[in-house]
Amino acid sequence: MKYRTRTGKVLSDQSLLSDLGQTGKGLLQSTPSSISNFFSALLQYFIGALAFLSRGVLRSNLGERTFGVLTLISIIFFVGLTLVFPSAYKVTYSWMWGDGGNMNGYLDEIYTFFLTFLYPFFIVLIGSLDKELTLAEYFKELSFVPSIPLLCFIAFTLIITLGHLAEVHNRRSQKVVVHSFYRGDSLLFKWLEGKSILGVQFSKLRIWMLLEPLFVLIVAFLFDNILNYEQVALLLTVSACCLFVEEFRVYQENRRFELDMLDGQLDAVYASELQREYQASLDEAKDESPKTFQSVFGQSGVSQRENKGSSTTFRAKIH
């Protein structure tokens, strides 16, 4: 059960189709919670798909429900959105502030970043009032021509994903059991598992969360500054950030699960201590006469228990 995600967005085909059906039904009902859940699920799937760009290349032995055939299609779609975003940002910035910008500096850039996602919806709403503001004109202003290195990188990623699908099919045919949510084994840093360097012990989670995203960022830096593959570098940078977010969430899940287990053990000790105290009080009461037992249980015994509290060391005492 360790090193798997329990609350993250599942990328399997069955899960994606189920989520689309549920969120679509909620959108038809026009409830605020369903609309927010739809965009939240879309954001989670976006992060998971772009993180898979790096995870699929850097790992093997992935669980069956961590990706699917639809993951291939969504990767191409999200890659396109990621690479078109800089051009859409420039168009939105020009529409909002003009060529000179406003006096707010970084605040303008922050506003523009979030409004870039909403700008096409504004065109649809305002287009009926302003005939010159149309989606056709908006898309004409967007400039995106995929480079040869980018196409080669996407093709390489898709081939790797097909290899993972073949690996899953091979495990299934050979009756090899692997947890369906398993995050995979690191191909480059597996030799570091369990080793300690400069007082830092490298577990799987630290390799997944720190080393692999850092490695992808270094590769993106080299592609950008040495080979001048700007589009590939941008895609790798976004993928590294998404991979860190994804694995940090997995780390938080596992840490929360460990803390719940420890608290459960302490609660069990606390309950056992209370049971021993209660059993001791019953045994003491049996040795006395019925009249004395009624007096102790009805007056001094209750008062003493309320004032003193439990003597166990695993819970805060109530005084």
Side-chain angles (χ1 to χ4, degrees), residues 8 40 63 65 72 76 114 121 149 172 205 216 226 262 307 314:
S40 175
R65 286 197 283 185
L72 299 177
I76 298 175
F114 290 103
F121 298 99
R172 192 185 308 165
L205 287 174
V216 176
I226 296 180
L262 291 175
N307 293 332
F314 295 100

Side-chain angles (χ1 to χ4, degrees), residues 30-47:
S30 299
T31 59
S33 60
S34 62
I35 296 176
S36 62
N37 291 338
F38 173 78
F39 286 104
S40 175
L42 184 62
L43 177 61
Q44 291 181 25
Y45 197 87
F46 174 81
I47 294 175

Side-chain angles (χ1 to χ4, degrees), residues 5 9-12 45 47-63 65-68 71 75 157 160-161 164 181-187 208 212-213 216 236 239-240 242-247 249-250:
T5 176
K9 197 64 184 172
V10 181
L11 300 182
S12 64
Y45 197 87
I47 294 175
L50 289 182
F52 187 80
L53 279 175
S54 299
R55 189 169 67 247
V57 175
L58 295 176
R59 299 180 195 171
S60 63
N61 205 28
L62 293 173
R65 286 197 283 185
T66 59
F67 67 103
T71 307
I75 283 177
T157 304
I160 292 295
T161 306
H164 286 300
F181 288 100
Y182 185 57
R183 309 290 294 174
D185 298 322
S186 178
L187 294 173
W208 295 342
E212 290 184 343
V216 176
L236 288 176
S239 179
C242 291
L243 181 62
F244 171 78
V245 172
E246 184 82 1
E247 300 303 337
R249 179 187 50 75
V250 174

Side-chain angles (χ1 to χ4, degrees), residues 19-267:
D19 291 341
L20 288 176
Q22 292 177 0
T23 52
K25 179 180 178 181
L27 288 176
L28 293 177
Q29 296 175 349
S30 299
T31 59
S33 60
S34 62
I35 296 176
S36 62
N37 291 338
F38 173 78
F39 286 104
S40 175
L42 184 62
L43 177 61
Q44 291 181 25
Y45 197 87
F46 174 81
I47 294 175
L50 289 182
F52 187 80
L53 279 175
S54 299
R55 189 169 67 247
V57 175
L58 295 176
R59 299 180 195 171
S60 63
N61 205 28
L62 293 173
E64 184 174 350
R65 286 197 283 185
T66 59
F67 67 103
V69 177
L70 294 179
T71 307
L72 299 177
I73 302 175
S74 61
I75 283 177
I76 298 175
F77 177 73
F78 288 135
V79 165
L81 287 181
T82 302
L83 296 176
V84 170
F85 184 82
S87 179
Y89 177 87
K90 293 180 181 178
V91 174
T92 307
Y93 189 89
S94 176
W95 170 69
M96 291 182 58
W97 316 112
D99 297 333
N102 203 353
M103 300 299 295
N104 295 326
Y106 289 108
L107 289 178
D108 292 346
E109 299 181 1
I110 295 175
Y111 293 151
T112 307
F113 175 83
F114 290 103
L115 289 178
T116 301
F117 301 97
L118 303 176
Y119 187 42
F121 298 99
F122 288 160
I123 294 178
V124 174
L125 295 176
I126 304 175
S128 58
L129 302 177
D130 187 356
K131 300 300 182 181
E132 297 181 357
L133 190 63
T134 62
L135 283 177
E137 295 295 331
Y138 172 75
F139 286 114
K140 284 182 180 179
E141 296 185 35
L142 298 180
S143 59
F144 168 66
V145 178
S147 62
I148 299 299
L150 175 64
L151 294 177
C152 294
F153 176 75
I154 295 176
F156 173 74
T157 304
L158 296 180
I159 292 174
I160 292 295
T161 306
L162 290 175
H164 286 300
L165 290 173
E167 183 183 13
V168 169
H169 178 73
N170 186 42
R171 289 201 308 259
R172 192 185 308 165
S173 61
Q174 296 182 1
K175 309 293 185 184
V176 178
V177 179
V178 175
H179 201 289
S180 61
F181 288 100
Y182 185 57
R183 309 290 294 174
D185 298 322
S186 178
L187 294 173
L188 298 178
F189 304 104
K190 187 177 179 60
W191 58 277
L192 276 176
E193 291 182 13
K195 294 185 179 180
S196 179
I197 299 178
L198 298 178
V200 178
Q201 187 174 7
F202 289 92
S203 61
K204 282 187 175 182
L205 287 174
R206 286 183 175 176
I207 291 175
W208 295 342
M209 184 177 62
L210 300 177
L211 289 186
E212 290 184 343
L214 180 61
F215 174 78
V216 176
L217 286 177
I218 293 175
V219 172
F221 176 82
L222 296 177
F223 277 9
D224 188 20
N225 293 274
I226 296 180
L227 301 177
N228 293 324
Y229 295 163
E230 295 181 359
Q231 293 180 342
V232 179
L234 173 62
L235 186 59
L236 288 176
T237 302
V238 176
S239 179
C241 296
C242 291
L243 181 62
F244 171 78
V245 172
E246 184 82 1
E247 300 303 337
F248 180 74
R249 179 187 50 75
V250 174
Y251 163 75
Q252 292 287 357
E253 281 186 19
N254 282 273
R255 183 57 183 167
R256 184 167 58 249
F257 181 76
E258 292 174 0
L259 292 177
D260 290 341
M261 290 292 295
L262 291 175
D263 291 343
Q265 292 179 1
L266 295 179
D267 289 341

